[in-house]
Amino acid sequence: MRAVNGDPRQLEGVSYDPHGSNVVVIETGIALDGGESLGLAKSFAQGLNLNEVDYKPIHSALNDALENISEHAYEGAAQSEERRWWACSIGFPDDPQSFLLAYDLGVTIPATVPRTARKVGERAMESLKRLLKRDDPEGADQTELLRAAFDPAVTRRESGKGGRGLPSMRQLAEQHGGSLTVWSGRAAAWTDDKLLNVKEIAGGVDGTLVLWCVGEKAEAET
Amino acid sequence: MTKIHVATEFSPTPIGRYKWQGRHSGEAFREVLKDRLRQSRVVEIDLSGTSGLSTGFLDEAFAGLIRENIISPQDYDLRISVVCRDDPSVLDTIHKYVSEAKGKIS
């Protein structure tokens, strides 16, 4: 394991197995690299005993998450250290649970929801206003803005450029009997058996952390 | 007709919408396609063997051909053929984005 010394920028390509059984793979970068995310997706899928075909949707979903970070989280920032992303997969050989994380230090999802909806088009903006029950989405509570980001009517780029956001990431987690949790700014959201919960985080977090946790149901059934 | 096998001729793991996001983005691949379309009336794109095809990549590479006026909505189906033997669902995703782009242009 490479020395970390408290600086997450030093976590480049680390494979960490502290107890000789768990596997932690961490990648970080500025530019997007599908090879790096492939390693993470494979490691994550291994914990779920998925075959080569089944890990591909996970790889695509992770790439979508990284694309979202690159395109939205750091809007206006130069292609430099300011645009760094981190991703990590954690698997436990004798445990049905596996974890996949994507993290950025960007402007947070609640901050980007109104301007993304505005860019997506008039219908998305109207949906957002309806959801928030207010005409000025920028003034809404962060938890409600994060909840809105899970609504396909707000995030889907129906008339412009296509893309997937939190609704698809949630779907993937649920397909594998798991959950999706997002911490972003002063808000957190998590799925729990098809329900979406939101709450305010005291003190908040810098940026956004997206966590897929799968295998929970499998554990419950065995 | 000319063929492009993406996994071997471009990248086995394409990602990103724009060139500034990475070397193997949809915009970069669209430029490869643009060159091939200059050389040949019909281009077959084989996505078999790739992994992690992201929506930004697919949208920018294929629907981008129409949005950027590289190919007309009418000509798209006549000049572009896409195959993906190991994951045919990718074709549905591309079709959806291309249809949206056609709808916006026409």
Side-chain angles (χ1 to χ4, degrees):
Chain A
M1 181 200 174
R2 213 172 300 173
V4 174
N5 297 331
D7 182 355
R9 288 173 194 170
Q10 294 183 29
L11 288 170
E12 205 103 28
V14 171
S15 291
Y16 179 38
D17 190 4
H19 306 299
S21 57
N22 304 339
V23 178
V24 179
V25 180
I26 304 170
E27 295 286 357
T28 180
I30 295 165
L32 298 177
D33 183 324
E36 288 175 351
S37 58
L38 174 64
L40 288 163
K42 277 186 171 175
S43 162
F44 181 64
Q46 234 169 18
L48 302 172
N49 294 319
L50 296 179
N51 63 30
E52 190 172 326
V53 173
D54 289 337
Y55 80 68
K56 287 193 174 185
I58 292 168
H59 189 201
S60 292
L62 176 61
N63 281 353
D64 280 344
L66 297 176
E67 268 182 4
N68 280 342
I69 290 173
S70 171
E71 205 174 334
H72 302 296
Y74 296 115
E75 206 169 275
Q79 185 73 338
S80 66
E81 231 5 270
E82 291 169 45
R83 284 187 165 271
R84 184 164 287 279
W85 54 263
W86 293 263
C88 170
S89 82
I90 306 169
F92 302 88
D94 299 319
D95 191 312
Q97 284 192 313
S98 272
F99 303 90
L100 189 63
L101 301 95
Y103 180 61
D104 69 74
L105 281 167
V107 294
T108 77
I109 294 171
T112 57
V113 166
R115 65 174 185 242
T116 301
R118 193 164 280 125
K119 265 199 293 188
V120 166
E122 206 174 308
R123 273 201 285 172
M125 200 58 191
E126 285 309 311
S127 299
L128 179 62
K129 287 177 182 175
R130 226 178 6 258
L131 270 174
L132 299 173
K133 298 190 178 86
R134 57 191 300 157
D135 287 331
D136 59 334
E138 286 83 359
D141 181 70
Q142 286 209 11
T143 55
E144 290 311 304
L145 284 165
L146 185 56
R147 183 191 288 279
F150 279 82
D151 194 306
V154 172
T155 58
R156 190 171 168 273
R157 299 173 155 203
E158 55 198 88
S159 59
K161 295 177 175 182
R164 282 192 296 210
L166 290 176
S168 296
M169 294 177 202
R170 174 183 182 177
Q171 192 181 24
L172 183 85
E174 289 176 349
Q175 272 169 2
H176 291 282
S179 62
L180 179 69
T181 307
V182 179
W183 293 265
S184 192
R186 294 199 313 275
W190 68 99
T191 62
D192 180 13
D193 199 20
K194 306 278 181 193
L195 288 174
L196 177 65
N197 308 280
V198 291
K199 71 175 279 190
E200 196 173 332
I201 313 170
V205 295
D206 288 334
T208 299
L209 175 65
V210 176
L211 166 69
W212 287 270
C213 175
V214 298
E216 294 155 306
K217 278 189 179 164
E219 185 183 41
E221 283 163 9
T222 51
Chain B
M1 182 175 79
T2 184
K3 292 184 182 183
I4 306 176
H5 187 243
V6 177
T8 54
E9 294 179 60
F10 184 71
S11 169
T13 52
I15 182 175
R17 177 183 294 279
Y18 303 113
K19 283 197 286 187
W20 61 260
Q21 292 178 300
R23 287 188 301 138
H24 300 122
S25 67
E27 186 183 12
F29 183 65
R30 193 178 67 220
E31 289 181 2
V32 174
L33 274 179
K34 191 177 172 182
D35 279 347
R36 297 294 179 96
L37 284 163
R38 279 198 200 106
Q39 297 159 17
S40 177
R41 173 77 188 152
V42 180
V43 178
E44 181 185 288
I45 301 112
D46 187 353
L47 292 164
S48 310
T50 57
S51 178
L53 291 167
S54 58
T55 50
F57 171 83
L58 293 174
D59 181 66
E60 201 60 35
F62 295 97
L65 288 170
I66 293 169
R67 281 197 301 267
E68 298 298 320
N69 295 316
I70 294 164
I71 201 165
S72 71
Q74 296 77 18
D75 275 359
Y76 181 90
D77 293 330
L78 301 172
R79 301 191 63 192
I80 298 289
S81 162
V82 189
V83 292
C84 187
R85 288 179 189 86
D86 41 12
D87 185 7
S89 71
V90 169
L91 306 185
D92 295 336
T93 306
I94 294 170
H95 178 74
K96 190 179 84 178
Y97 294 147
V98 167
S99 297
E100 286 171 0
K102 283 179 178 177
K104 214 182 171 197
I105 296 287
S106 54

